[in-house]
């Protein structure tokens, strides 16, 4: 039995310690916003925040997540950075198929929470490893840059 603190709520789960956090979220708790992409931490589709840092849920065992603050895409709308970022994502028409977008937005939110006005190089470094098979990388960078500007101006969205 493990206690997970996810999106501000405690969840008791009775799963093997080595079960990937991704499967706990999706199959045990019904939090399906975090996506399965590769299962090897190579694509970024399963990115979430653990203690504020971006983490790949597909390779994170539930035992390593117990007692830590976990945030998924479902909670991003409760965060100022998340709301502004989601709005910029829509306005820049970032998503095509949309499959990778939860992981992309979570990685971008982590960057903007740590770096208020990132450079293009900082954006590229933070987003490195988050694969978009549709190739919307220029729109992703534009949305992040736009969100950073809005946040700097005090927009709350």
């Amino acid at each position: 039995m493990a206690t997970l603190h996810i999106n501000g709520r405690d969840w008791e789960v009775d799963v093997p310690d080595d079960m990937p956090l991704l499967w706990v979220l999706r199959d045990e708790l019904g939090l399906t916003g975090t996506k399965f992409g590769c299962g090897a931490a190579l694509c970024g589709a399963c990115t979430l925040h653990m203690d504020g840092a971006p983490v790949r849920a597909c390779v994170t065992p539930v035992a390593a997540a117990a007692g830590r603050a976990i945030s998924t895409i479902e909670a991003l709308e409760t965060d100022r950075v998340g709301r502004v970022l989601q709005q910029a994502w829509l306005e820049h028409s970032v998503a095509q198929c949309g499959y990778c977008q939860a992981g992309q937005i979570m990685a971008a939110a982590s960057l903007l929470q740590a770096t208020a006005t990132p450079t293009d190089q900082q954006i590229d470094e933070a987003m490195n490893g988050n694969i978009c098979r549709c190739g919307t990388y220029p729109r992703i960078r534009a949305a992040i840059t736009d969100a950073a500007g809005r946040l700097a101006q005090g927009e709350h969205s």
Side-chain angles (χ1 to χ4, degrees):
M1 189 74 99
T3 301
L4 300 175
H5 188 71
I6 303 169
N7 300 336
R9 178 177 166 198
D10 286 333
W11 303 77
E12 292 290 330
V13 294
D14 189 10
V15 298
D17 286 347
D18 62 348
M19 178 182 257
L21 180 57
L22 178 62
W23 300 131
V24 173
L25 293 171
R26 295 183 60 78
D27 297 342
E28 301 293 322
L29 305 179
L31 297 172
T32 58
T34 305
K35 303 298 183 201
F36 174 81
C38 67
L42 301 172
C43 74
C46 68
T47 301
L48 50 74
H49 297 168
M50 188 176 299
D51 294 335
V55 172
R56 306 295 166 91
C58 70
V59 296
T60 303
V62 71
R68 312 226 5 230
I70 300 163
S71 296
T72 67
I73 191 73
E74 286 90 350
L76 208 57
E77 69 185 18
T78 64
D79 176 78
R80 176 178 172 253
V81 170
R83 286 190 308 274
V84 172
L85 192 56
Q86 287 173 332
Q87 186 62 39
W89 230 252
L90 291 170
E91 290 175 7
H92 287 271
S93 300
V94 172
Q96 276 188 238
C97 82
Y99 196 82
C100 70
Q101 296 309 302
Q104 296 279 0
I105 290 175
M106 293 302 286
S110 182
L111 168 65
L112 292 180
Q113 288 163 349
T115 307
T117 53
T119 64
D120 284 348
Q121 180 178 349
Q122 289 171 313
I123 293 171
D124 293 346
E125 288 171 4
M127 302 305 291
N128 187 32
N130 282 76
I131 297 171
C132 175
R133 300 204 189 284
C134 299
T136 64
Y137 301 112
R139 287 184 274 175
I140 290 169
R141 185 192 291 155
I144 294 169
T145 301
D146 185 29
R150 293 174 184 202
L151 290 163
Q153 294 175 0
E155 184 174 318
H156 295 282
S157 193

